[in-house]
Amino acid sequence: MSHIVTRFAHYMADYEGATVPIQVFDSTSNQVFARPVPLTSTGSRLDQEFGPGTYLIRVVLPSGEILADTISVQSGKDAEAVFKPKRQSPREELSWAYYLQKTPLSAFERASRAKVLSVSDRFQDQFPSERPTITFWAHDANGWKVASENARNIFTGVQYESGPDLEKEGALLRIGIGFQYFGDWQQFPAQIWLQARTSAGSQIAALPTVPRLHVLIASDDDIRNTMPFRIQSSNGSAAVDALLSFLSSGDFESARAIGSSWAQRAEEMLFSKIEDPMAATVGGYFLLKAGELERLHEWTANLSNWFKWLPDGPIIRACHLMTQPQPDAATIRKLLLEALRRGLPYYTIGLRLLQNGLKLLLQRSSGDREIAAALETINPYLEAADPSSGATSFTGEAPDQPGIRVHQAKTLEMPDIRLEYGEAES
Amino acid sequence: MSIVFDARLPPTAAQTHVLIIGVGDYPHLLGGSKFDQQPAANSFGLSQLTSPPVSASAFANWLPMLANRRTPLGTVDLLLSPAVYTDGRGNSFVVDLPTMAQLKTAFKAWSQRSDANSANVAIFYYCGHGLEKEGTTILLPSDFGNPVEANISANMIDFDLTYNCNLLEASARTQLYLIDACRETPTQLLSLRTSPTALISTMKLQQLPRDAPVIKSTNSGLKAHGDPGKISFFTQALLECLQKMGARGQNGGRWEVATSSLGQAMKYFLQRMRRQGVPPLICDVGGRSNFDTTIHTLSGPAYVMSSIDCDPDSALAAAQFVIRNGAVSVDSRITPQPEPYDVDIPAGQYDIEVTFAVAQFVSKVCPQLMQPPFTPCTLEVDR
């Protein structure tokens, strides 16, 4: 019997060891191994022995890319499976953006796609020359206000980086952010958002409250958007990044593969002290969307009550209560309204759950003006939001002025075939 | 209701209940039979469609082949416009029109059938015009735009609220929703002040575990595509993945299609479908899935979507591929091309031989296992 060692072809700096679902199949197409495994450039030994033979090792990256390697295992000798993704992060420290989240389109791929689609000049030429200007916003009990990078009760530091080596891989600007942690995230003063503006307009995204955060402003291959760029932010841990990406893309099976063991550990930690409220938030969303509802326990009350700057806390609490027998509509109503009072949910999943919950309540009680008003407030954000982004991100002039994603491309009128961009190739 | 398939199982027996809607004929939109006398005050630029009734009928015709021992096919309710259904044997039937009123009735009945046993599988399929506003998917019944209805939203379906209400109302633990419709937001829609209507309402609030994915034929803000009068690309993907490409794994030697593997397989299938002049096809999977469910067992082998290329990339443009199972050649690409070699092949073990027309690279034979739904294969080539 022997072992299989899996190795990722690229070093991922702080994200070495990101857990991903790995499957192993034998030559008769039977699955003989399926567990989350750390993805490392030095190699991870699967904790199982394999007999001699041919095996397929397949891994699903949170970016959506599937990697596979067919190897031969010989008796008494470890065999290595190497995974080399097609897209390579231009920097090790950006590996989270390229492997753990939806990847920005590289210049080569943009050019190739443009050739096939006859994409309008707007999307070929406008990107990526203009570096966006950045504004930070804070939301607290008094509403929205601009936050200074020098505010020491919020930031420990903000660093910017741009340049041709980033641009050739589709990245306009890289920002490193340190948030001030006084030993207890309950003391954090506000919810922080980032606004990126160019001459084409403005986009605003939530910044997860973690000690150290990376933001990448990159080309956006989602050409529905009026914006030529998208804002990606890390979530402070590879596990959270990966889980959020799988949930956002609807890959529930992969989310369960890595989420279940993680949730078990989190359950034990979260009951008494929530050290990482963002991780707890994503864990809560995982359990609601793809996990075992029975794992939602009273820690959701702590998440809601202890972190007054976290709108997602009351949303998760409300959804948790809805899994109980005879949920109390009044309590759920109060929690959803509290969520909106605190600001906008950090995560797009939360934004959708908030809208869903408000609509459910309104259809039960159509005369509820407060719920109707809450929907009037939240709906424009859903209209302006980037639905593929894990962290809430929307177009708008200011956080309280969400914009509209209006599709501007040319169309060719043909029955049942309406082309998105330009003319059909004949 | 127009039940086109009824296995006449006891109502409380675990089974699969399917509701299929195909809306092609919109009388009040441009080109419709009532457009001259009763045109829609605001059509949002929409007109007639020819693919949906064909697509919906194709799905209905395939369903009797659904093989699921735990939850066999129980009923198929079908609404079409035009309201004529031709079954797999060529027999034609009149079915209910998918007007708003008929859809509410049919949906409620389907929900109640599904509710009879929590082990039931409930499948909802819609093909027709769709829109999106404020994150909500809006489906349009055949009488959309009827000027007799003063509130235009009364004949617009709020799919998301319908979905969330039905997860509460119907105890069927597995509910699969397939939406083959555009999701654009016409600017006139943004000024609409009233809300679309759900097909079902509920006073329940308790959320129970559900396997309830929603698979949509395009992403938010985009169009869905299909050739006129033919099965849409999304429905083609659905049928191919149910029949061959969407397997998750084997159980007792038989390949099973699950809700999870179906959605992922359809994504890859659509990505690989390339049509001249049509943008890259996509598929959006959302909803909620607290566990996975087998919905169909294949009668034959599972097929694998594979993409074969070379490392370094430069070798690909000179490569010739032959895929062998033992001594038998099962597929090949002899003319070198710069794009990866996409192939659909039964699951199993193969040898891939790569040779080169240039002396720069060394030919080799690589053993390769293929596992559904998608197995990429990168052959490392020596210079």
Side-chain angles (χ1 to χ4, degrees), chain B residues 3-328:
Chain B
I3 304 287
V4 299
F5 178 92
D6 190 348
R8 302 198 187 283
L9 298 172
T12 55
Q15 55 197 284
T16 298
H17 293 293
V18 188
L19 174 60
I20 300 176
I21 301 160
V23 194
D25 184 34
Y26 286 87
H28 303 284
L29 300 182
L30 182 66
S33 56
K34 297 180 181 173
F35 182 73
D36 288 339
Q37 293 82 32
Q38 293 181 312
N42 195 335
S43 67
F44 301 123
L46 303 172
S47 59
Q48 308 307 303
L49 295 171
T50 53
S51 174
V54 176
S55 302
S57 297
F59 184 42
N61 287 343
W62 177 84
L63 276 169
M65 289 185 275
L66 186 79
N68 187 331
R69 279 174 41 184
R70 286 200 194 90
T71 51
L73 184 65
T75 61
V76 177
D77 191 357
L78 176 65
L79 293 89
L80 294 176
S81 71
V84 176
Y85 163 58
T86 303
D87 69 11
R89 296 190 185 125
N91 302 314
S92 293
F93 306 90
V94 173
V95 294
D96 285 344
L97 273 173
T99 61
M100 193 65 180
Q102 297 272 42
L103 285 177
K104 282 183 177 176
T105 303
F107 193 95
K108 180 76 175 172
W110 167 76
S111 178
Q112 286 174 335
R113 287 193 297 276
S114 308
D115 185 50
N117 188 325
S118 62
N120 282 344
V121 173
I123 300 177
F124 174 89
Y125 169 99
Y126 172 92
C127 185
H129 274 311
L131 302 165
E132 186 163 300
K133 182 188 174 193
E134 294 166 346
T136 295
T137 296
I138 299 170
L139 309 179
L140 301 183
S142 62
D143 55 346
F144 164 70
N146 185 349
V148 169
E149 175 55 66
N151 175 10
I152 189 174
S153 297
N155 285 348
M156 297 168 74
I157 300 165
D158 181 335
F159 168 74
D160 296 277
L161 185 56
T162 301
Y163 167 80
N164 284 307
C165 285
N166 203 52
L167 291 189
L168 299 171
E169 272 294 302
S171 68
R173 296 182 75 227
T174 300
Q175 302 183 27
L176 175 62
Y177 294 81
L178 304 157
I179 306 297
D180 191 356
C182 296
R183 296 171 64 186
E184 285 191 305
T185 309
T187 46
Q188 307 98 310
L189 182 62
L190 293 172
S191 60
L192 189 67
R193 299 305 300 164
T194 51
S195 299
T197 311
L199 291 177
I200 198 168
S201 61
T202 184
M203 292 302 289
K204 296 178 183 175
L205 269 183
Q206 187 185 9
Q207 300 268 5
L208 295 171
R210 289 283 182 266
D211 179 17
V214 181
I215 306 176
K216 296 180 181 173
S217 58
T218 189
N219 279 349
S220 174
L222 295 179
K223 299 184 200 299
H225 298 280
D227 292 325
K230 296 187 179 172
I231 302 173
S232 72
F233 301 139
F234 176 82
T235 303
Q236 286 181 44
L238 172 65
L239 292 172
E240 284 291 312
C241 291
L242 281 170
Q243 292 174 88
K244 291 195 311 187
M245 307 290 192
R248 169 185 59 184
Q250 295 186 88
N251 186 356
R254 304 192 70 189
W255 291 96
E256 294 182 331
V257 178
T259 52
S260 61
S261 62
L262 178 65
Q264 298 308 309
M266 288 176 68
K267 273 190 182 179
Y268 298 123
F269 190 94
L270 283 165
Q271 278 172 15
R272 293 159 93 243
M273 276 180 102
R274 294 191 183 95
R275 291 289 190 272
Q276 191 80 351
V278 177
L281 297 171
I282 38 185
C283 172
D284 180 29
V285 180
R288 172 159 76 98
S289 175
N290 300 113
F291 54 90
D292 202 13
T293 310
T294 297
I295 54 173
H296 175 56
T297 302
L298 301 184
S299 57
Y303 273 66
V304 180
M305 293 175 274
S306 184
S307 182
I308 302 172
D309 65 13
C310 295
D311 181 14
D313 291 339
S314 53
L316 183 60
Q320 300 163 311
F321 298 101
V322 178
I323 302 174
R324 292 197 174 87
N325 184 345
V328 177

Side-chain angles (χ1 to χ4, degrees), chain A residues 370-390:
Chain A
E370 206 172 352
I371 293 294
L375 269 170
E376 286 275 326
T377 300
I378 202 79
N379 281 342
Y381 290 98
L382 270 298
E383 184 58 47
D386 175 359
S388 67
S389 174

